[in-house]
Amino acid sequence: MPADRSTCSQPAPTEPGATSRRTFLAGLAGAATVLSGCGGSNSDSPSDNIASPSQPTGPDPGPDIDPPVEPPEPPAPFPPRGVHASIEESSLTSRSITWFTDTSHAPAQLLEYDQEPLLEGQQNTPVFLHQRHASSEATFGVDAQTHRFKIDGLDPDKPVRYRVGSPSGGWSPVYQLTPINTQNWSFVHYGDQGVSVRAQRVTEEILKQPRDLAIIAGDLSYADGDQSVWDTWFDLVEPLLANTITMAAAGNHESKDGDGLQSGKAFKSRLTHPDPLLNNLNPNPGSTYYGFDIGRVHFFVSSAGALIDDFTLAEELINLEIDLAKAALRRARGELDFIILIQHYPIWTDQDGRSPANLTLVALQENILLRYGVDLLLVGHDHIYQRSVPMGFGIPSLLGYVQVLTGTGGQSVRLFDDNGIQRWSASEFVGIGFSRFEVEPGRIKGYFYGAAPQGLGDDVRQTVTDPFALHDEFEVEQRNWLACQNCAVPARPASELLQDFPALVAHTRERNRRAMEHHSHG
């Protein structure tokens, strides 16, 4: 259950359309003035300090004087916000830090860091060994700036302690990124979060779990074109994202932040990801398709056509094919244990209104997943939890992939259809929650933690007050040697991949339209 909050505490996050960060900070400043009187003594009238004739006589001690009240410290004029960590290159020796400041007038931003451990009582120690100037650019859609700095040459066995900001504009809290033990490490996965109280509960529960990486499978803020909602979302998740490497996929709601070639511009300009292998049409810091390694696991993040209006889908398909072919070859050589694909859209689902399958992705991706032996497909979009057995084309197969659909980040709670669970499905849950994975040599253990709603009726389903609990547990084993060898095949040429591209584009646009229509109807 969420902790009780008094009337003097900070207000909980609100739904989309919430106030901007600047208004939020002004509210906090006003709250600080109120708080200065919370629990204090009542003010006295002058007559209360005059001795009455019945009191003992003696030297007049003078009027009682309360100790002076220290005025509240004014808020920093340009506080850093939305701090989040990611990787662009090596997950061992590099970390990228991104953050925002309001208005174009904020002072030049700095990142201060070192690799000394953060000891108890030193959370706000302002002394760091290194200080670097960040790059700055205008933030899409709002009067703000986005700042970035990539830290290279790190000792992979030591934590990174850091803060961002400026002496005149204000500093962030001190954050810490722990080193990753690449033999035994963990990550969390969820999608479809938004800025509701449900979303806040999911973030709070994840913070209780050990994790080295956070994967967000699309539909992060649900800004839907209202750019101030992105600020509210980053405020909500900063305690998680600033202390955890975070990598994200773009979802269909990200597409509403900008039109045409600008589709998904807020996602692309606010996040920081690796560059694709081929990068002619997607020159954005927050790439929407990219690969990265952590230990012996290779990840590829795909947009799956969520931002089709930016005309990068053909290039993305070529990137996807080449990346997975290279990863499959590395696995056959013994350099990798697992290949994981991340995207917003599921391929198979039992959510009401969307089952049994996303036929556009069946035609587009199933043969790619099976050709290169992808082990895990991590998705969102449908606001349910559903995990498959190893499968291909909707049929259980020991040589297939396991799809983990975790669209339970908090935006809303949806239901399963009335047609019964399909044969590939191994576990289902209605509510909010997140998946957590523990990686060890040759094995990935998966867990789903969720909280159920008060009921399944439309009038109570969005109220989730139950405690979080473990609702699913499973394992994915490394493929055997022969299966790995069979998946180590060359990437197909673009002429083969794109031979039916006009039809693929038409089907993808129709899929995206229906996804938005389904959302607008509840």
Side-chain angles (χ1 to χ4, degrees):
M1 295 290 291
D4 292 337
R5 293 173 171 82
S6 72
T7 56
C8 289
S9 26
Q10 177 177 325
T14 58
E15 302 287 350
T19 56
S20 68
R21 169 70 177 191
R22 204 173 312 148
T23 305
F24 178 70
L25 286 173
L28 286 185
T33 305
V34 174
L35 282 171
S36 67
C38 286
S41 61
N42 296 326
S43 62
D44 297 326
S45 66
S47 61
D48 291 333
N49 293 324
I50 299 175
S52 67
S54 62
Q55 288 179 319
T57 59
D60 184 4
D64 294 333
I65 300 176
D66 290 332
V69 177
E70 294 291 334
E73 185 175 339
F78 298 99
R81 54 176 172 77
V83 182
H84 53 287
S86 61
I87 53 175
E88 296 176 82
E89 296 178 356
S90 168
S91 62
L92 289 176
T93 61
S94 176
R95 297 288 184 271
S96 293
I97 310 299
T98 308
W99 68 100
F100 315 104
T101 53
D102 284 322
T103 83
S104 58
H105 307 297
Q109 294 291 292
L110 302 170
L111 181 141
E112 297 186 334
Y113 74 96
D114 59 34
Q115 291 200 267
E116 299 303 315
L118 186 62
L119 302 177
E120 185 176 357
Q122 293 184 333
Q123 280 76 7
N124 293 307
T125 301
V127 178
F128 296 85
L129 296 179
H130 308 285
Q131 185 183 83
R132 300 289 185 267
H133 285 274
S135 66
S136 300
E137 63 194 52
T139 305
F140 173 75
V142 291
D143 184 16
Q145 295 183 80
T146 300
H147 312 282
R148 293 181 172 86
F149 188 84
K150 179 164 63 73
I151 311 172
D152 286 319
L154 295 172
D155 184 334
D157 297 322
K158 292 183 178 180
V160 179
R161 184 176 68 101
Y162 74 96
R163 70 174 183 175
V164 300
S166 66
S168 60
W171 295 96
S172 73
V174 177
Y175 294 114
Q176 180 166 281
L177 299 167
T178 58
I180 300 176
N181 177 348
T182 55
Q183 293 297 306
N184 294 274
W185 60 283
S186 64
F187 64 95
V188 296
H189 152 236
Y190 64 94
D192 305 85
Q193 187 165 35
V195 294
S196 67
V197 173
R198 295 180 298 272
Q200 182 185 36
R201 287 198 66 200
V202 172
T203 299
E204 290 171 348
E205 289 297 323
I206 292 175
L207 286 168
K208 300 175 184 178
Q209 299 282 343
R211 76 264 162 213
D212 299 289
L213 169 70
I215 291 171
I216 307 178
D219 284 2
L220 284 65
S221 72
Y222 283 80
D224 289 342
D226 182 352
Q227 299 309 309
S228 66
V229 176
W230 277 101
D231 296 330
T232 305
W233 181 76
F234 272 110
D235 289 340
L236 184 150
V237 297
E238 181 173 327
L240 171 62
L241 273 53
N243 290 294
T244 312
I245 295 172
T246 302
M247 312 299 280
N252 56 302
H253 283 271
E254 272 73 62
S255 70
K256 300 181 77 171
D257 297 313
D259 298 324
L261 294 175
Q262 296 291 304
S263 178
K265 188 61 175 179
F267 178 95
K268 296 171 183 177
S269 65
R270 286 178 176 266
L271 298 160
T272 305
H273 295 141
D275 286 330
L277 295 169
L278 305 174
N279 191 24
N280 296 318
L281 298 176
N282 192 28
N284 299 284
S287 304
T288 57
Y289 43 94
Y290 56 92
F292 65 97
D293 290 348
I294 295 186
R296 294 177 60 83
V297 180
H298 178 73
F299 297 86
F300 188 87
V301 176
S302 169
S303 79
L307 308 180
I308 193 169
D309 288 337
D310 71 359
F311 292 98
T312 62
L313 181 57
E315 185 173 279
E316 177 178 344
L317 289 174
I318 297 170
N319 271 276
L320 173 64
E321 184 88 7
I322 294 173
D323 182 276
L324 294 183
K326 292 175 63 176
L329 180 60
R330 292 170 60 203
R331 183 175 56 188
R333 292 173 175 170
E335 301 171 14
L336 295 173
D337 290 347
F338 296 99
I339 301 173
I340 298 177
L341 180 63
I342 303 158
Q343 63 189 37
H344 180 58
Y345 292 107
I347 296 183
W348 297 87
T349 179
D350 278 317
Q351 181 184 288
D352 187 28
R354 288 181 176 156
S355 66
N358 186 325
L359 298 179
T360 298
L361 291 183
V362 171
L364 172 64
Q365 287 189 317
E366 285 275 10
N367 56 0
I368 297 177
L369 292 167
L370 299 174
R371 177 182 176 90
Y372 300 111
V374 170
D375 299 292
L376 276 170
L377 174 64
L378 306 183
V379 297
H381 188 56
D382 294 348
H383 299 183
I384 55 174
Y385 171 77
Q386 189 168 26
R387 186 219 358 134
S388 78
V389 299
M391 67 168 175
F393 297 103
I395 300 172
S397 169
L398 293 177
L399 298 178
Y401 61 92
V402 173
Q403 176 184 273
V404 183
L405 194 174
T406 313
T408 51
Q411 171 63 14
S412 70
V413 178
R414 298 284 178 87
L415 299 174
F416 289 88
D417 63 25
D418 296 328
N419 298 326
I421 299 300
Q422 299 176 70
R423 60 185 298 195
W424 53 262
S425 185
S427 180
E428 306 83 31
F429 181 79
V430 172
I432 61 174
F434 61 94
S435 296
R436 181 174 178 272
F437 299 87
E438 294 179 352
V439 182
E440 57 187 59
R443 178 182 293 107
I444 296 179
K445 297 179 180 178
Y447 309 88
F448 175 76
Y449 297 88
Q454 287 189 354
L456 300 183
D458 292 345
D459 56 334
V460 293
R461 192 169 63 251
Q462 306 309 324
T463 302
V464 183
T465 55
D466 277 8
F468 279 74
L470 178 64
H471 289 277
D472 188 25
E473 187 173 354
F474 61 98
E475 292 187 5
V476 177
E477 298 282 348
Q478 181 182 4
R479 293 171 184 262
N480 63 41
W481 180 86
L482 181 59
C484 289
Q485 300 302 310
N486 290 338
C487 293
V489 293
R492 291 168 291 185
S495 58
E496 180 178 348
L497 284 174
L498 305 177
Q499 59 182 345
D500 297 322
F501 189 68
L504 173 63
V505 169
H507 292 159
T508 302
R509 289 186 188 279
E510 178 62 16
R511 176 209 63 186
N512 293 1
R513 184 192 68 78
R514 292 188 179 188
M516 285 298 189
E517 185 178 71
H518 179 79
H519 169 78
S520 66
H521 285 84

